[in-house]
Amino acid sequence: MKFRRGDKVQIITGHYKGTIGDIIAVSPKTNKIKVEGVNLVKKHTKPSPNDPDGGIYEMEAFIDASNAMHYDAKIKAPSRIRMSINKKGEKVRVYAKSGAEVK
């Protein structure tokens, strides 16, 4: 899986198509990611000592990684990424379209 927490992605299919957000969680075993502001679900909680009021909270749920692509802010478009070696001899991730390094 080429996604990491903090990467900026664009959703390419589904209800949230076109939405751009940062990855907040990654699950490599299930090939799923959690994106900020995408796939919002309501969580009902009972009152507890930690949360005496309880209530209904809105939170992000996981989506399949195949529904998102890395977003290249330089060209303002989604792009695949590839591995490359920089001048220092380190392996880095770069956008396939622009060649810029993934931050």
Side-chain angles (χ1 to χ4, degrees), residues 2 4 23 25 28 38 57 66 70 72 76 84 86-87:
K2 296 189 177 188
R4 293 185 188 160
I23 295 178
V38 173
Y57 298 103
S66 65
H70 282 88
D72 188 357
K76 295 182 173 64
S84 182
N86 64 4
K87 295 178 182 178

Side-chain angles (χ1 to χ4, degrees), residues 8-11 16 18-22 35-36 38 71 76:
K8 190 169 285 297
V9 295
Q10 182 173 0
I11 307 304
Y16 291 92
T19 306
I20 299 167
D22 293 329
V35 182
E36 186 177 348
V38 173
Y71 182 75
K76 295 182 173 64

Side-chain angles (χ1 to χ4, degrees), residues 43-82:
K43 173 87 172 156
H44 295 70
T45 58
K46 294 171 82 172
S48 67
N50 294 337
D51 186 16
D53 294 333
I56 303 171
Y57 298 103
E58 208 169 53
M59 57 185 284
E60 292 92 356
F62 281 99
I63 61 168
D64 199 80
S66 65
N67 295 339
M69 283 184 77
H70 282 88
Y71 182 75
D72 188 357
K74 184 176 180 182
I75 60 171
K76 295 182 173 64
S79 174
R80 292 188 306 274
I81 63 168
R82 58 183 169 83

